[in-house]
Amino acid sequence: MVEIKKDLLIIGAGPAGLGAALYSKRADLDFEIVDKQMPGGQIMNTEFIENYLGFGQRSGFELIEKFSDHCKGLGAEVKTFCPIALVELVKRGKENFFRCNIAESADHYMVRTIIVASGAYPKMLGLEGEQRLFGRGVSYCATCDGPLYRDKDVAVVGGGDTAVEEALFLAKFAKKVYIIHRRDKLRAVSILQERAFDLENVEIVWNSVLEKIVGEKKVDHILIKNVDDNKIKKIDIQGLFEYVGFGANSALVKGIVKLDANGFIITDKYMRTSCRGIYAAGDVRSTALRQVVTAVADGAVAATSIDKHLRGLI
Ligand code: NAP
């Protein structure tokens, strides 16, 4: 068993974690940044990002490569495939320490501060067939699986930025893309809505919810219900992409820090959580806007606050 002692552990190497790593390095903090897989988090599943100032249109992969290279160039390299399963609070006098257990390993970190930048996961609808047909028509990643649906019919569930953005991507390959939305207005930002309205092979099915995913070995069709008249309609599709929002990857600190009603971590303006020494940044945080730019900024604030905290300034 190895105990790795550090002043700071950054958990997650998406935009928030990498933003934190950059500022931690510049503050000369004794830290490590870990991720359960390769750096990137959710934006690795994004075909293009066009609202990160100064970068024009880039794929999620390209942007993360630039972020990682920047950190690496300063000497902050991500320890990959190092999943932190649980954080335990260890009181030593007045000081808090945190034991961060690595999943399926006896090795652990013992640190004075943590930045939880573990991001969020796509929510499921909880329908029969969702898990059974996952990878056989049901997908949560259009960027990964979109090309498999060339000249086929697919449906996207949801009306937010993610649903519409991914529908636009799928429309490049698929013969027809249905956007199934439970209301009569999309939540997505106007520019995305307009692009979707302009495409001939995108059809928005308003006021409708997914009732059933049908298929034995792969998705064959779906049944949707109109919420106004309860009428059921069958739509033949080969691919189903669900984008009905995200849940927080906050389980590792559940019980130690305060969460909001949806499980996102509550912080103050310094990114401090309710537990002294634990900070949160990015999509896992309870926040009004979840974007690459806000995640990077959260990471910068959290690292700067920790530097001040460790120096007794805040
Ligand atoms: P979101 O904004 O929470 O939207 C989720 C969508 O799913 C909503 O349209 C919602 O309907 C629908 N929905 C939720 N539960 C449902 C259910 N049980 N059955 C049917 N429909 C359901 O999630 P998101 O689109 O993934 O976006 C998450 C965050 O990331 C947002 O802050 C977004 O702005 C950001 N984001 C930004 C970009 C970008 O800037 N390019 C791209 C992707 C995501 P209602 O509208 O009726 O609530």
Side-chain angles (χ1 to χ4, degrees):
M1 182 200 66
V2 179
E3 180 170 279
I4 309 159
K5 290 193 173 109
K6 294 279 167 194
D7 279 344
L8 163 65
L9 181 66
I10 302 170
I11 304 172
L18 292 170
L22 175 66
Y23 277 74
S24 301
K25 196 69 202 172
R26 286 167 60 83
D28 204 20
L29 297 180
D30 170 36
F31 76 100
E32 200 144 282
I33 172 166
V34 296
D35 199 293
K36 62 178 187 226
Q37 46 202 23
M38 297 300 285
Q42 288 184 87
I43 70 164
M44 294 296 275
N45 297 338
T46 307
E47 189 225 358
F48 65 85
I49 289 163
E50 56 181 5
N51 50 5
Y52 193 72
L53 194 65
F55 277 79
Q57 197 183 85
R58 303 274 175 146
S59 69
F61 177 81
E62 254 183 297
L63 204 55
I64 278 297
E65 202 174 33
K66 289 222 167 282
F67 290 179
S68 301
D69 287 349
H70 192 164
C71 290
K72 222 187 280 177
L74 293 174
E77 204 152 337
V78 178
K79 193 165 173 187
T80 53
F81 302 106
C82 181
I84 302 298
L86 195 69
V87 172
E88 290 172 55
L89 173 60
V90 181
K91 283 251 178 215
R92 286 189 186 155
K94 278 190 180 165
E95 269 227 75
N96 283 349
F97 282 83
F98 303 98
R99 186 188 152 111
C100 304
N101 298 310
I102 301 169
E104 292 173 24
S105 166
D107 298 351
H108 62 267
Y109 285 86
M110 187 61 82
V111 297
R112 294 172 68 194
T113 59
I114 299 174
I115 298 175
V116 184
S118 46
Y121 63 87
K123 277 188 190 163
M124 293 174 116
L125 286 167
L127 294 172
E128 195 285 316
E130 233 171 6
Q131 295 203 8
R132 187 173 52 81
L133 294 168
F134 176 71
R136 288 185 274 165
V138 175
S139 171
Y140 298 85
C141 180
T143 315
C144 323
D145 299 335
L148 301 174
Y149 296 94
R150 194 175 291 280
D151 299 324
K152 298 192 169 152
D153 294 340
V154 300
V156 169
V157 185
D161 286 336
T162 309
V164 177
E165 211 168 70
E166 301 304 306
L168 292 173
F169 177 67
L170 288 164
K172 289 187 200 177
F173 307 95
K175 184 153 58 96
K176 176 102 186 190
V177 181
Y178 299 94
I179 298 179
I180 318 285
H181 184 41
R182 63 182 176 183
R183 290 189 293 135
D184 62 354
K185 280 187 190 67
L186 294 172
R187 182 178 289 276
V189 72
S190 304
I191 190 169
L192 294 175
Q193 294 196 28
E194 281 157 22
R195 285 180 196 164
F197 295 150
D198 281 350
L199 287 177
E200 276 182 8
N201 63 339
V202 173
E203 179 182 333
I204 304 177
V205 187
W206 302 105
N207 301 318
S208 298
V209 293
L210 186 60
E211 279 284 287
K212 203 167 179 186
I213 309 165
V214 185
E216 213 151 278
K217 295 222 162 96
K218 50 192 172 104
V219 173
D220 180 73
H221 64 271
I222 52 174
L223 299 179
I224 58 166
K225 183 173 85 179
N226 184 298
V227 293
D228 292 332
D229 57 17
N230 286 334
K231 277 196 178 142
I232 302 284
K233 184 174 157 186
K234 174 182 176 231
I235 303 183
D236 291 325
I237 51 156
Q238 289 79 52
L240 176 70
F241 295 79
E242 294 176 4
Y243 295 110
V244 292
F246 287 90
N249 290 323
S250 57
L252 74 169
V253 287
K254 197 172 173 202
I256 306 184
V257 305
K258 270 195 189 147
L259 307 177
D260 70 13
N262 297 314
F264 291 88
I265 301 175
I266 298 170
T267 64
D268 66 6
K269 67 179 180 183
Y270 295 104
M271 304 297 145
R272 293 183 295 204
T273 69
S274 59
C275 179
R276 189 174 158 79
I278 303 187
Y279 294 65
D283 283 5
V284 73
R285 198 169 77 81
S286 185
T287 177
L289 186 63
R290 294 196 170 84
Q291 301 275 299
V292 178
V293 68
T294 51
V296 171
D298 281 3
V301 174
T304 308
S305 304
I306 286 176
D307 178 40
K308 288 188 179 144
H309 164 73
L310 292 172
R311 291 195 286 132
L313 298 175
I314 56 170

